[in-house]
Amino acid sequence: MRRNFFAVLFGCVSFLAFARHAAGAEVNIYSARHYAIDDILYTNFTKETGVKVNVINGNAPELVERVKREGEKSPADLFMAVDGGVLNSAKLAGILQPLVSPVVDKAVPAHLRDKDSYWVGLTTRARVIVHSKERVKPEELSTYEDLASPKWKGRMTVRSSAAMYDQSLLASLIALDGEEKATQWARGVVNNLARAPQGNDRDQAKAIAAGISDVCVMNTYYVGQMLNSKDPEEVKAAQQVAVFFPNQRTTGTHLNVSGVGLVKGSPNKENAVKLVEFLLALPSQKSLSESNYEYPVNPEAEVAPLLKGWGTGFKTQALDFALYGENNAPAIRIFNEVGWK
Ligand code: FE
């Protein structure tokens, strides 16, 4: 009788342990990254580990709000974003916890992860000047600041200031040059526009190809994606532009980081950490660079030949990514003040 009781008890405990394990064999990502290579890497991770990866896509502020609203019941394990300021804001919003992993610390240089381990970079991207090969010589270009000079009058296009990428660029200029100069810069750029702000990064290169403008700013990986696009129009447009790394003799090119943080209440913490380690390992880092033309954060990882061709030793802004978040509100205020819609 007693024996039976223990047998049944043991059976129940094993079943519960199994059920718990089965239910835990997944990772839930709330992601503001939106690139095809991400899904390929998640599939590879599942093949390798048996751990299923579920992704909920959204924009970063919405996803942060969602985690807050769901509170302790949130199924979110990982939060992914494409901006260092946003990652830091998620830390400050209290939705993250430190992701403690010697593997992560070894794979990623200290300046590309949060000092308290609340987030870690996955890739970086530079926001560069892109120019017409035909109508602009590289010698005519120098700095972001110079784009405000009258010599570019009627020769620039930009995307809307609602885009985080330009908010962070302006936030970085506030940090480096001060608010007054940053305001003058934004005003100068608006005065130089060939048309009202519109479209995404790719549309700025298309404007150059169409002869509407001669210069713009773009994230490096979009140029790579366009050059390798299935859409022949995009390839044709990208072939007419060249990449220029600004501020090499001054404050450096604007760099941003795409990264991931462990959500505070992560129900599948162990697998979540495993996935982050997988994404930082050399094969994933190489894929991110070769398929999406981003820069790996792991310095040992192979960089895509296209990026190597542009030169990888460029000087970058020496700024704490947290400043992009801290200067976000002033940046938006300046955009409004100067009429950068
Ligand atoms: Fe993007």
Side-chain angles (χ1 to χ4, degrees):
M1 185 68 197
R2 224 189 132 114
R3 243 184 130 142
N4 276 346
F5 170 76
F6 277 113
V8 169
L9 182 68
F10 180 74
C12 286
V13 169
S14 326
F15 174 76
L16 284 173
F18 170 77
R20 193 162 178 268
H21 182 78
E26 61 175 10
V27 176
N28 300 312
I29 308 176
Y30 283 18
S31 182
R33 273 183 64 96
H34 49 266
Y35 312 111
I37 182 63
D38 298 7
D39 295 324
I40 294 168
L41 291 175
Y42 303 151
T43 305
N44 292 348
F45 176 73
T46 303
K47 273 187 205 149
E48 206 176 292
T49 61
V51 177
K52 200 175 163 233
V53 180
N54 308 306
V55 184
I56 288 173
N57 284 303
N59 78 37
E62 274 167 25
L63 293 173
V64 170
E65 280 315 304
R66 182 164 171 171
V67 173
K68 275 199 211 163
R69 195 173 62 237
E70 289 168 341
E72 281 176 16
K73 284 185 213 138
S74 178
D77 295 299
L78 295 171
F79 168 73
M80 275 185 195
V82 292
D83 180 271
V86 166
L87 288 163
N88 205 65
S89 301
K91 172 191 179 183
L92 298 177
I95 66 151
L96 302 177
Q97 63 173 313
L99 192 162
V100 183
S101 156
V103 177
V104 168
D105 290 354
K106 193 169 168 273
V108 185
H111 70 283
L112 297 176
R113 52 187 159 87
D114 177 55
K115 64 181 191 318
D116 306 313
S117 304
Y118 279 79
W119 59 263
V120 58
L122 293 171
T123 60
T124 63
R125 54 278 296 279
R127 196 153 182 79
V128 292
I129 295 177
V130 166
H131 62 93
S132 159
K133 279 180 184 168
E134 204 181 85
R135 298 183 297 278
V136 179
K137 291 192 195 83
E139 305 86 76
E140 297 172 71
L141 294 161
S142 57
T143 61
Y144 298 108
E145 287 85 346
D146 175 66
L147 294 177
S149 95
K151 79 177 190 222
W152 301 112
K153 181 105 189 147
R155 300 174 70 189
M156 262 199 91
T157 68
V158 292
R159 61 189 292 175
S160 149
S161 64
M164 184 58 72
Y165 299 144
D166 282 331
Q167 291 175 11
S168 287
L169 173 60
L170 183 54
S172 76
L173 296 181
I174 293 171
L176 292 165
D177 301 337
E179 268 194 44
E180 207 182 302
K181 279 194 178 151
T183 308
Q184 283 167 13
W185 176 79
R187 187 168 283 127
V189 168
V190 169
N191 285 338
N192 287 341
L193 293 182
R195 67 174 184 199
Q198 59 183 266
N200 56 25
D201 270 28
R202 292 170 199 247
D203 292 324
Q204 313 315 315
K206 289 176 190 167
I208 293 174
I212 295 167
S213 58
D214 296 340
V215 286
C216 67
V217 289
M218 271 176 83
N219 284 354
T220 35
Y221 60 90
Y222 285 117
V223 181
Q225 287 178 8
M226 287 178 78
L227 282 170
N228 294 279
S229 172
K230 285 184 190 121
D231 175 356
E233 288 296 310
E234 283 205 335
V235 179
K236 222 174 117 194
Q239 284 169 343
Q240 294 176 59
V241 301
V243 161
F244 180 85
F245 290 86
N247 296 59
Q248 289 306 290
R249 288 181 185 170
T250 61
T251 45
T253 295
H254 178 68
L255 191 79
N256 213 330
V257 66
S258 158
V260 58
L262 182 63
V263 175
K264 199 179 230 168
S266 166
N268 309 290
K269 188 170 158 179
E270 215 174 292
N271 287 330
V273 173
K274 227 186 263 175
L275 175 58
V276 173
E277 291 173 350
F278 174 86
L279 294 172
L280 294 170
L282 300 182
S284 306
Q285 288 281 295
K286 186 183 175 195
S287 298
L288 284 164
S289 190
E290 283 185 346
S291 305
N292 210 40
Y293 311 99
E294 295 180 90
Y295 296 99
V297 287
N298 188 329
E300 310 277 306
E302 187 98 28
V303 178
L306 175 72
L307 303 185
K308 271 192 203 156
W310 289 342
T312 50
F314 58 92
K315 181 181 178 182
T316 58
Q317 291 175 340
L319 290 175
D320 186 335
F321 292 110
L323 284 166
Y324 300 180
E326 284 166 30
N327 289 341
N328 183 263
I332 291 172
R333 204 191 58 233
I334 292 171
F335 280 134
N336 288 336
E337 198 181 309
V338 303
W340 183 326
K341 299 226 162 55

